Amino acid sequence: MGEGEEKNGIIDSMPLFAKELIAGGVTGGIAKTAVAPLERIKILFQTRRDEFKRIGLVGSINKIGKTEGLMGFYRGNGASVARIVPYAALHYMAYEEYRRWIIIGFPDTTRGPLLDLVAGSCAGGTAVLFTYPLDLVRTKLAYQVVGSANAQVKTIVPLEQIVYRGIVDCFSRTYRESGFRGLYRGVAPSLYGIFPYAGLKFYFYEEMKRHVPAEHKKDISLKLVCGSVAGLLGQTLTYPLDVVRRQMQVERLSAAVKEETRRRGTMQTLFKVAREEGWKQLFSGLSINYLKVVPSVAIGFTVYDVMKLHLRVPPREEMEAEAVTTRKRNVFT
């Protein structure tokens, strides 16, 4: 048996959910790494407003480059990728599973955008609950802005004031300081945001693909366009909750934040930001997020579809029809 045949045999023997997990995990890692520098700057815009917002995108790039070097743009990306791989794997796999469960449980359900909206929302919530502590760690690490050893470069945060020195250290310190609840600080706005965002993302993407002519269904450029628009619309509608989530995640790193402020809930934080800093602050970093979301979601959906082809995942319509037929056969036997 040749190497190619052995590889094909391994792929064919894999259960469907495993193929979807692998496809989703690879998708998440590639898409997240591609936009990591913009993600770092976006987080700094959201949380270190006075230092970075006034100097803009180009100024922030120059500042990070001078004080932290090239790797500064990827600070927190290790935790980000460690989170996004299992998150994306669960997200895409759960979407497919929820979609099949709904169709099998309710055979008369219309195959349309509402189905994608519900399945995508439930999948997003499931993935967040399983991977949120990694997102918290990623944000805390990205929030830290260290100084340079070069005396001519202005230090942003003295080295001795660095709170966390790595992923494991951040996990352990957060747990010691706040317990299990501390690892899920800010999870509420994450869930409030991910339910509509994940649902809308799949909704827009699948709805746009339905209008693509049959002869262009496999056109990668069209998949990229559909993914870009889907991410753009979904993110715009849910972005304020992302800002609130980031603020809640990094509150304990700010000495100026009072204890009662740290105990604020999602809606209290949202209205506090709007009242004290204006509604525009709830969309702080959105322009950078557009630059990040467009390629990220486009790459994500495209890579996922390509990975499913390489892993020989049967077409969705074929699997759903077979599942419904099997269920009806079991009912009548």
Side-chain angles (χ1 to χ4, degrees):
M1 182 181 291
E3 184 178 337
E5 292 180 352
E6 184 178 351
K7 179 182 176 182
N8 291 338
I10 293 174
I11 291 176
D12 291 337
S13 65
M14 293 170 60
L16 179 60
F17 79 88
K19 294 181 180 181
E20 291 167 348
L21 280 171
I22 292 172
V26 172
T27 294
I30 292 174
K32 180 59 71 175
T33 301
V35 298
L38 287 171
E39 176 71 9
R40 174 85 201 281
I41 294 173
K42 185 198 77 170
I43 290 175
L44 292 174
F45 265 46
Q46 289 177 332
T47 57
R48 288 183 176 272
R49 296 174 299 281
D50 295 337
E51 297 175 45
F52 287 89
K53 191 175 179 181
R54 67 171 181 267
I55 61 177
L57 175 60
V58 176
S60 297
I61 292 173
N62 291 333
K63 191 169 190 174
I64 293 173
K66 289 178 180 178
T67 57
E68 302 181 57
L70 178 62
M71 295 309 297
F73 293 103
Y74 291 88
R75 181 173 298 279
N77 191 54
S80 182
V81 171
R83 164 194 168 266
I84 203 63
V85 169
Y87 172 83
L90 283 169
H91 194 175
Y92 284 101
M93 185 274 289
Y95 165 73
E96 303 286 3
E97 290 295 326
Y98 281 131
R99 203 175 189 280
R100 283 193 289 271
W101 291 346
I102 293 172
I103 290 173
I104 293 172
F106 305 92
D108 298 327
T109 300
T110 303
R111 313 294 196 273
L114 182 59
L115 174 63
D116 297 311
L117 182 67
V118 173
S121 297
C122 293
T126 300
V128 163
L129 287 174
F130 276 95
T131 62
Y132 184 79
L134 284 167
D135 181 57
L136 180 77
V137 168
R138 183 276 301 261
T139 301
K140 287 189 173 187
L141 291 174
Y143 175 78
Q144 294 181 152
V145 185
V146 301
S148 169
N150 186 343
Q152 294 180 343
V153 178
K154 183 180 178 181
T155 300
I156 301 175
V157 174
L159 292 175
E160 63 271 13
Q161 292 183 17
I162 295 177
V163 181
Y164 307 113
R165 300 186 180 277
I167 297 173
V168 176
D169 182 55
C170 188
F171 261 119
S172 60
R173 284 174 179 250
T174 302
Y175 183 76
R176 286 199 305 269
E177 291 170 3
S178 309
F180 186 75
R181 291 183 64 181
L183 293 174
Y184 278 86
R185 173 70 176 164
V187 72
S190 293
L191 289 173
Y192 297 156
I194 198 61
F195 275 116
Y197 174 64
L200 289 169
K201 186 173 67 173
F202 280 104
Y203 170 94
F204 288 126
Y205 181 66
E206 296 296 336
E207 181 63 16
M208 291 184 69
K209 284 205 306 182
R210 289 187 182 94
H211 295 285
V212 175
E215 62 271 20
H216 296 296
K217 289 288 186 183
K218 295 183 179 180
D219 191 327
I220 290 181
S221 61
L222 282 176
K223 290 180 184 290
L224 287 169
V225 171
C226 292
S228 299
V229 175
L232 201 67
L233 294 174
Q235 186 73 167
T236 302
L237 296 174
T238 60
Y239 191 78
L241 288 169
D242 186 51
V243 174
V244 171
R245 172 169 61 103
R246 300 295 184 199
Q247 297 238 354
M248 292 178 71
Q249 287 176 335
V250 302
E251 276 175 354
R252 288 188 175 274
L253 296 178
S254 176
V257 177
K258 298 179 180 179
E259 185 61 32
E260 60 268 21
T261 301
R262 290 173 179 164
R263 292 196 294 265
R264 289 181 186 275
T266 302
M267 299 309 295
Q268 289 176 305
T269 302
L270 188 148
F271 286 114
K272 175 180 177 292
V273 172
R275 183 176 62 254
E276 297 181 1
E277 304 171 45
W279 286 99
K280 285 186 177 181
Q281 179 56 34
L282 292 173
F283 292 90
S284 177
L286 182 57
S287 58
I288 295 177
N289 214 46
Y290 282 151
L291 296 177
K292 185 200 78 167
V293 163
V294 170
S296 179
V297 177
I299 291 170
F301 277 125
T302 303
V303 171
Y304 181 63
D305 284 344
V306 172
M307 284 296 298
K308 286 200 297 181
L309 286 176
H310 283 299
L311 293 171
R312 291 199 284 281
V313 175
R316 190 179 291 154
E317 294 77 9
E318 180 182 316
M319 290 189 294
E320 291 169 354
E322 182 180 343
V324 172
T325 301
T326 301
R327 182 180 184 278
K328 288 182 178 178
R329 189 185 304 124
N330 293 335
V331 169
F332 292 106
T333 57

